[in-house]
Amino acid sequence: AQSVTQLGSHVSVSEGALVLLRCNYSSSVPPYLFWYVQYPNQGLQLLLKYTSAATLVKGINGFEAEFKKSETSFHLTKPSAHMSDAAEYFCALTGTASKLTFGTGTRLQVTL
Amino acid sequence: DVKVTQSSRYLVKRTGEKVFLECVQDMDHENMFWYRQDPGLGLRLIYFSYDVKMKEKGDIPEGYSVSREKKERFSLILESASTNQTSMYLCASARGRGATNEKLFFGSGTQLSVL
């Protein structure tokens, strides 16, 4: 079975501070990994994806994520948070099953 | 840009009613998906389809069925709505038949309340 675990359902950072959202996965085959973002009252949109090329993946809006096989992790980071980054973030993977499995989500709050 | 359109943003139904949630995509995508989103549970896959008239069960298909008569349209059906089906329902599409590394395009969701 494949699974995704997101540590921390809520994360709060100050504007300008580092954003770190954690994601760990389990898959018996090399996974494809994704981060999606959901702004209020909207559907999800893709931030970035890892498909076995470079382990450091750059996405939209200044976000990036690093695939670490040894740690089975795919954490999302952004050097400097902006108020507009406030949203819910979902980590997801496709692995053994030909379908996308999502984590439970992390709500990011950005304060002044 | 790909557009995935869900027919209703908010829907209120009564227990026992038959409910249809409609989803249309305009980019000729092969794959279409129905998820439900609940606080603390993330997104869970209900059904998906890789081709017209084809459907496969996701992780939580009980109480739901689907219909895909045309490539662009994927309908979710609640045969007899129950209060535990109150949720946000998200439709998504992706290109490529059965591809697993493709980006999903999501609709903006239908918030269904069953009273």
Side-chain angles (χ1 to χ4, degrees):
Chain A
Q2 59 190 49
S3 66
V4 175
T5 301
Q6 291 185 243
L7 298 174
S9 58
H10 289 84
V11 170
S12 181
V13 301
S14 300
E15 191 173 35
L18 171 72
V19 175
L20 171 61
L21 304 182
R22 299 178 187 274
C23 172
N24 288 88
Y25 69 89
S26 173
S27 176
S28 58
V29 300
Y32 297 120
L33 291 158
F34 305 78
W35 276 99
Y36 282 82
V37 61
Q38 185 179 33
Y39 298 104
N41 298 315
Q42 295 185 27
L44 280 71
Q45 54 184 281
L46 182 69
L47 268 181
L48 50 81
K49 68 176 182 180
Y50 166 76
T51 56
S52 76
T55 56
L56 182 62
V57 182
K58 293 189 184 299
I60 61 172
N61 301 336
F63 284 93
E64 62 182 38
E66 186 172 9
F67 173 72
K68 292 187 177 180
K69 184 178 178 181
S70 61
E71 299 177 8
T72 60
S73 70
F74 190 58
H75 302 331
L76 182 71
T77 60
K78 181 174 181 177
S80 177
H82 191 272
M83 296 296 288
S84 61
D85 295 326
E88 190 156 21
Y89 293 80
F90 293 91
C91 184
L93 78 85
T94 54
T96 50
S98 58
K99 58 183 182 180
L100 200 59
T101 297
F102 284 86
T104 52
T106 297
R107 186 167 297 279
L108 176 66
Q109 182 183 17
V110 182
T111 58
L112 288 172
Chain B
D1 272 358
V2 174
K3 195 165 185 183
V4 179
T5 303
Q6 294 184 231
S7 53
S8 304
R9 183 75 180 96
Y10 299 97
L11 211 51
V12 179
K13 296 292 181 181
R14 297 216 175 268
T15 302
E17 277 193 77
K18 189 169 186 176
V19 181
F20 293 86
L21 302 183
E22 306 287 347
C23 176
V24 177
Q25 50 93 4
D26 65 358
M27 280 299 289
D28 203 36
H29 282 173
E30 306 281 355
N31 304 322
M32 295 189 76
F33 307 83
W34 274 106
Y35 288 89
R36 64 176 281 176
Q37 180 180 11
D38 300 287
L41 297 177
L43 277 74
R44 293 178 292 166
L45 182 63
I46 305 171
Y47 268 96
F48 58 105
S49 169
Y50 290 148
D51 203 349
V52 175
K53 296 191 185 295
M54 173 272 176
K55 60 184 178 184
E56 289 210 24
K57 293 180 180 179
D59 299 317
I60 52 163
E62 295 77 21
Y64 302 95
S65 62
V66 290
S67 172
R68 195 165 181 200
E69 296 295 319
K70 293 185 177 181
K71 191 176 186 180
E72 66 271 18
R73 186 179 297 270
F74 192 37
S75 303
L76 180 69
I77 304 158
L78 287 66
E79 294 291 341
S80 178
S82 64
T83 54
N84 63 12
Q85 292 178 309
T86 291
S87 184
M88 171 68 78
Y89 289 87
L90 292 170
C91 176
S93 73
R95 69 173 184 173
R97 192 172 192 283
T100 59
N101 65 345
E102 293 291 338
K103 170 183 176 180
L104 262 63
F105 294 84
F106 282 86
S108 53
T110 296
Q111 178 63 51
L112 173 67
S113 297
V114 182
L115 307 177

